[in-house]
Amino acid sequence: HSQTGSEMNVIGDLRQFDGREPTKLILIDTPELTDRLQIEMQSQFGETAYVTKTNIEYLEFMNPQANKGAALAVTCSKLEIAREYTFAVGDGHNDLQMVQWAGVGVAMGNAREELKLVANRVIGHYNEDGLAIYLEELAGNS
């Protein structure tokens, strides 16, 4: 596929994989279709699959424990870093759990509305150097 750099592999009927856990399944289509399917698939799969959008055209299906929040928690545990000493910055659907888990969750100004609602702080848009300005504030260089 031109956007992912991955070779297309037509696998046919997904029922052949019944009982096996895939690493990830990605559906690429129009933003309108992936938005509609996200709602339908989240409703259908509930807690058995993590259904998210990582791009306006990408709808991804993964193991429910496979998300950025879980990855941040595991990383901090291995490095013996307490949750309250972490911060995470995001802008997309797939950043939600990470921003929620972090000691300080930050949403970019261009972030999805649901992400802004769970963040501790909303910073400037990425086109306006929002992250750089925020990091300078943290360092006391503003």
Side-chain angles (χ1 to χ4, degrees):
H1 187 270
S2 63
Q3 289 181 315
T4 64
S6 299
E7 186 177 314
M8 290 295 222
N9 182 10
V10 179
I11 57 172
D13 192 335
L14 293 177
R15 289 178 288 195
Q16 69 180 304
F17 299 107
D18 198 19
R20 293 173 46 197
E21 287 191 30
T23 305
K24 175 168 56 172
L25 180 131
I26 182 170
L27 181 145
I28 304 172
D29 211 303
T30 65
E32 297 78 21
L33 181 62
T34 56
D35 282 347
R36 184 174 55 79
L37 286 175
Q38 180 181 16
I39 294 165
E40 289 177 27
M41 296 296 108
Q42 284 174 330
S43 172
Q44 181 173 343
F45 289 106
E47 300 297 315
T48 63
Y50 173 44
V51 182
T52 190
K53 290 188 68 170
T54 56
N55 177 302
I56 61 171
E57 297 173 330
Y58 296 4
L59 184 61
E60 296 190 16
F61 301 78
M62 294 171 276
N63 182 300
Q65 276 73 48
N67 64 68
K68 291 181 180 183
L72 183 57
V74 167
T75 302
C76 288
S77 175
K78 288 187 182 288
L79 296 174
E80 298 180 355
I81 298 170
R83 181 180 188 173
E84 60 267 19
Y85 295 113
T86 65
F87 81 94
V89 181
D91 64 357
H93 289 284
N94 62 330
D95 297 322
L96 188 68
Q97 291 89 346
M98 175 182 67
V99 168
Q100 285 177 311
W101 187 88
V104 176
V106 179
M108 297 297 297
N110 56 289
R112 310 281 307 186
E113 201 57 40
E114 59 269 24
L115 188 63
K116 290 179 181 180
L117 292 173
V118 302
N120 301 101
R121 173 137 184 220
V122 178
I123 60 175
H125 193 284
Y126 78 92
N127 281 338
E128 299 163 353
D129 296 328
L131 181 57
I133 293 167
Y134 175 65
L135 293 175
E136 286 177 349
E137 286 175 15
L138 288 177
N141 297 329
S142 56

